[in-house]
Amino acid sequence: MRKLITLCYACAALLLLSAPLVSAKELSGKLEIFSWWAGDEGPALQALIDQYKAAHPQVEVVNATVTGGSGVNAKAVLKTRMLGGEPPDSFQVHAGQELIGTWVKADRMEDLTFLFKEQGWMDAFPAGLVKQIGTDKGIWSVPVNIHRSNVVWYVPENLKKWGITAPASWDEFFAVAPKLKEQGVVPLALAENWTVNHLWESVALASLGADNWDAVWAGKLAFDSPEGVKAWELFGKVLEYTNQDASSLSWQQATDMVVDGRAAFNVMGDWAAGYMATTKKFAPGTGFGWAASPGTGGQFMFLADSFGLPKGAPNRDNVIAWLSLLGSREGSDAFNPLKGSISARTDSDLSKYNDYGKSAAADFGKDRIVGSLAHGVTANEGFMNDFASVMEMFLKSRNAAAAAKAAQQIAVKNGIGK
Ligand code: GAL
C-alpha cells in the first residue's frame, strides 16, 4: 500500500512538472486582429499570426484588414465599431497622441501595466517609448516596431545613369530636379493625400530643424511664426517637382515609379523598404538605396505601430497572448525584418535584419529622435482631421502665409501643446 501511495505521489509530481509543457492554459475561441496591413503590407503581420497559431492551435485568428495606407480607411471603420460597442479584440494604433488623445481619453482601453511588469517590458522597451504609450493612469498598448518617416528612396543605378546623387539638402534637390524633368523623369514621386502630409513633415523638419519642430508641438513656437511660414514656402517649392496624378496613386504606386525609373526619388516611411525587399525582392543597397530625406541627416523622425486591448474585447485571454507575442523578442524579430521597421525592443537580434534594417537601427541609436505628425505621434486626431483641410487649401492656393495661419488656428483649437 505504502508503495502504491509513493507511486501516486511520484505520478502527481511528474504530472505537475510536465503541465507547463502542455501549455499553462489551452486557449480556444477566436481572436480578431484589426489593422490596415492588407495585401502588400501583410507579410510581416502574417509571420506573427503564424507564430500565434503555432502556439495556440485551437484559436481561430481572424485577420481583419481594411486597405488604405496609413489607416485612412481603417481608422474610420474602427471608430464606428468602437462607438457602436463592437470593438475588435485588438487593433493597430500609433503610439503617441493617436492612441492617447482618442481611445485612452475616451476610457475605452484596458491598462496593460500588469502585462508590462509580468513580461519584463519596462526594461525591454526604451523609457521614452513607454512614455508615448502611457499616461499617469496606465500603459495602453504594446509597441511592435519603430518606423522611420524621414527617408528618401531611390535606385542607385538610375541615379548613376542620370548623373546625380541623392540630395543631402533641398537646395541640392532643386539643383538637379529641372535636369531630371527635362529628361522626362519625375523628380519626386508623390501619391494620395496622406502621403502629402507625410512629405510635409519631412520638409518641415528640414526647414525648422529638430528643436523648432519639437517647439511647435510643445506649443512654444507658433505655426505662423516666420519659421513656420518658411516651412510652407519650402514645401510649395518641393511640390513643383512632383507628379500631377499623385492623388490617384497609393503609396506603393509612388514607390513603383521610383523602382521602374519613372521617378528619381520618393520620400516615404521605411515600410517602403519592406515593400521593396519583401514583396518586390530587391536587394537593399543595390536594388534600392536610401538616405535621410533632404536636410534631415542626423534626425530620426519616428513612429511606432502598437496594439492594445479595448475594454469589452470579446476574447480577452486570447488578446493577452497576442500582445505577449507582439512584445516578445521572437515575435518582434519575426515581424520587423519583413516590415522594414526595427524592433521597439532594445535587445533585438540584428543578425535577422537586412542592410536597411541594420542601418536604421544604427541611426536610431545615434540620431536626434523626433515624433511624426502624419503617423500619430505629435498631434491628436482632431488636429489631423483639421490639418487635412489646411493641406487641401494649400494645395489649391499655394499661399504659405495663409496655410501657416490656418495651421496655428487649428493647433489652438485642438489644444496642441496643452
Ligand atoms: C503607417 C504605419 C505603417 C505602414 C504605413 C503605410 O501609418 O505605421 O506601419 O502601414 O502606414 O500604410
Side-chain angles (χ1 to χ4, degrees), residues 310-371:
K311 284 185 176 169
N315 302 288
R316 190 176 181 280
D317 286 351
N318 296 348
V319 182
I320 305 277
W322 165 246
L323 296 177
S324 305
L325 172 65
L326 284 188
S328 72
R329 188 172 187 239
E330 295 68 34
S332 189
D333 284 341
F335 175 88
N336 286 299
L338 298 172
K339 186 70 170 68
S341 40
I342 54 173
S343 174
R345 294 180 59 111
T346 52
D347 60 355
S348 158
D349 178 1
L350 278 180
S351 70
K352 299 212 161 101
Y353 291 71
N354 64 25
D355 284 354
Y356 174 74
K358 286 190 179 107
S359 89
D363 287 350
F364 189 66
K366 64 175 164 48
D367 281 4
R368 165 81 181 265
I369 310 293
V370 294

Side-chain angles (χ1 to χ4, degrees), residues 36-37 41 69-70 94 147 194 251 271 303 305 339 375:
W36 60 84
W37 290 329
E41 290 217 66
S70 185
H94 288 126
H147 265 307
W194 71 264
W251 70 263
W271 40 93
L303 60 119
D305 293 298
K339 186 70 170 68
H375 306 278

Side-chain angles (χ1 to χ4, degrees), residues 89-107:
D89 287 314
S90 187
F91 61 84
Q92 177 187 3
V93 62
H94 288 126
Q97 285 304 312
E98 185 178 310
L99 166 75
I100 304 298
T102 49
W103 306 120
V104 174
K105 200 167 162 202
D107 196 22

